[in-house]
Amino acid sequence: MKKKYLVIVIATAFMLGTMGACGDKGKKESKENEVEETDDSKGDDSHATIHMEDLENDSQNEVTDQHAKDFIKDMYEHQRYNDYDYLEKHCTTQMLKQLKDNYDYDGEGYAVWLFRTSGQDGNPDAASPESKILDISRSDKGDGWYSYKFLDAGWRGENLIKLIEKGDGFMIDALERVYDEPAENLE
């Protein structure tokens, strides 16, 4: 019987010791979650502190970037830009105006070809006449700007696209052509 009580006392002491160590560890971790950096460019002892909230914001930005990239890939690879209802739901007034102003046919419409290259037919020299995204990256042009490199029926192209967050999705706010292989071949 004494052995049973001894085992219970030892187990209880172990648990209490462990709980205390966990509490101390939590205090240590909260201090370790702050990183101080010295800014020698100011010539004094100024310090910048990075908190866990900043790291969480970076993580949130990565999630937002991934959602933006998924949005661009879906828009391009499923040719959603050809659907006027889609454009009216996913483009700002400014972007719709840009698409209308560049529509150069009789009547009204949107210049959906701005999302692609200027190639009318597939690239005869391409190994495969695919249309797909090759790369999407954040642009140095500013907040919300992304570069997407793509194949358009085998032709290479690159556009800059500006996205703004609206609710739980994105709106296309601007579009600029960077590279258009068919146009380059005509020159």
Side-chain angles (χ1 to χ4, degrees):
M1 190 69 130
K2 288 183 181 181
K3 281 185 177 180
K4 185 176 181 181
Y5 289 115
L6 183 61
V7 169
I8 292 172
V9 169
I10 292 172
T12 305
F14 177 76
M15 288 175 47
L16 290 174
T18 303
M19 289 172 51
C22 288
D24 290 342
K25 183 180 178 191
K27 290 177 187 174
K28 277 185 184 176
E29 282 181 358
S30 67
K31 282 293 186 189
E32 289 172 1
N33 287 337
E34 293 183 8
V35 178
E36 289 194 13
E37 295 179 0
T38 304
D39 185 359
D40 293 333
S41 65
K42 293 183 180 179
D44 60 9
D45 290 333
S46 299
H47 296 293
T49 303
I50 300 172
H51 296 277
M52 282 307 294
E53 295 85 30
D54 296 333
L55 297 175
E56 288 169 2
N57 287 341
D58 288 345
S59 177
Q60 182 61 34
N61 288 340
E62 288 176 21
V63 169
T64 300
D65 272 356
Q66 188 56 51
H67 287 303
K69 290 174 181 181
D70 291 344
F71 175 83
I72 294 166
K73 183 175 182 170
D74 177 68
M75 177 273 304
Y76 183 77
E77 289 189 348
H78 293 103
Q79 299 179 5
R80 300 199 192 284
Y81 53 82
N82 284 323
D83 180 356
Y84 284 10
D85 288 335
Y86 177 87
L87 292 175
E88 289 170 357
K89 289 178 186 170
H90 293 92
C91 291
T92 63
T93 305
Q94 172 182 305
M95 184 66 213
L96 290 173
K97 181 178 179 343
Q98 178 184 348
L99 293 171
K100 278 184 179 181
D101 290 349
N102 284 283
Y103 186 78
D104 50 1
Y105 293 101
D106 290 338
E108 288 190 28
Y110 297 117
V112 298
W113 53 84
L114 295 178
F115 291 94
R116 306 174 48 218
T117 66
S118 63
Q120 295 292 321
D121 299 314
N123 183 348
D125 298 328
S128 172
E130 288 184 276
S131 293
K132 68 177 186 175
I133 291 290
L134 298 173
D135 182 59
I136 302 171
S137 59
R138 196 177 258 278
S139 169
D140 59 3
K141 188 167 176 140
D143 285 345
W145 282 96
Y146 292 85
S147 164
Y148 70 96
K149 295 177 182 175
F150 57 95
L151 286 177
D152 174 32
W155 295 107
R156 291 187 173 275
E158 180 181 359
N159 286 339
L160 290 176
I161 189 168
K162 182 177 183 186
L163 302 179
I164 57 173
E165 289 185 71
K166 182 160 185 180
D168 60 350
F170 294 96
M171 299 282 287
I172 302 168
D173 192 44
L175 184 71
E176 295 177 12
R177 183 166 282 155
V178 175
Y179 177 70
D180 183 12
E181 185 180 22
E184 298 279 325
N185 286 345
L186 293 175
E187 293 177 358

